């Protein structure tokens, strides 16, 4: 079966739109429930991509997501993908032309808080993994793949060392 990334564009954009609507601003306590929701959203996306191990790791602050998919190849190297699911504050809100958590496309550019830092990149990693498996016919990645996706990067990563 041939995997065509372009054929999955609508699915990717739907997923990204859904995730970008979660205002997971780690630096503002009133959004901390949304940061938890963002972690849950990514954990579910990793499970849907096929990761057999997906865990939400609590911290003294906001949660991280850990996912691991071992390669079936003995001695395969391990690759760690680091990222974050939290976003920067949107203040001053009056400088935004659209709601920062209502994704819009203008001139072929998707705009929303977190679209390029870092939610979009994380979803592209999952899409790339799907393409790798489809193109090779493998049922596990060629490398042992680990994701560590923290929820406090945009507020200085105060609990990252403990992770």
């Amino acid at each position: 079966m041939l995997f065509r990334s372009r054929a999955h564009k609508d699915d990717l954009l739907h997923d990204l739109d859904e995730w970008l609507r979660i205002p997971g601003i780690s630096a503002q306590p009133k959004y901390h429930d949304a940061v938890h929701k963002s972690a849950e959203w990514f954990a579910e996306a990793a499970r849907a991509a096929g990761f057999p191990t997906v865990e939400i790791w609590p911290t003294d602050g906001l949660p991280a997501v850990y996912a691991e998919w071992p390669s079936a190849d003995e001695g395969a190297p391990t690759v760690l993908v680091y990222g974050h699911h939290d976003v920067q504050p949107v203040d001053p809100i009056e400088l935004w032309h659209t709601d920062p958590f209502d994704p819009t496309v203008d001139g072929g550019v998707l705009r929303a808080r977190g679209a390029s830092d870092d939610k979009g990149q994380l979803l592209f990693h999952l899409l790339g993994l799907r393409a790798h498996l489809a193109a090779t016919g493998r049922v596990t990645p060629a490398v042992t793949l680990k994701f560590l996706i923290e929820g406090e990067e945009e507020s200085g990563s105060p609990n990252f060392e403990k992770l």
Side-chain angles (χ1 to χ4, degrees), residues 53-126:
T53 300
V54 179
E55 301 168 352
I56 296 178
W57 286 357
T59 70
D60 290 339
L62 297 166
V65 180
Y66 174 78
E68 182 174 347
W69 194 340
S71 176
D73 298 349
E74 188 175 324
T78 297
V79 173
L80 172 66
V81 174
Y82 164 81
H84 62 93
H85 63 88
D86 63 321
V87 299
Q88 282 279 327
V90 295
D91 301 320
I93 192 70
E94 61 272 5
L95 295 180
W96 285 80
H97 298 288
T98 60
D99 180 333
F101 296 107
D102 182 10
T104 58
V105 177
D106 181 23
V109 176
L110 175 67
R111 288 185 170 73
R113 178 59 91 208
S116 62
D117 181 19
D118 193 31
K119 294 176 179 181
Q121 286 85 342
L122 292 172
L123 286 184
F124 274 106
H125 283 295
L126 295 181

Side-chain angles (χ1 to χ4, degrees), residues 17 31 49 105 144 156 158:
D17 180 86
Y31 292 103
V105 177
T144 292

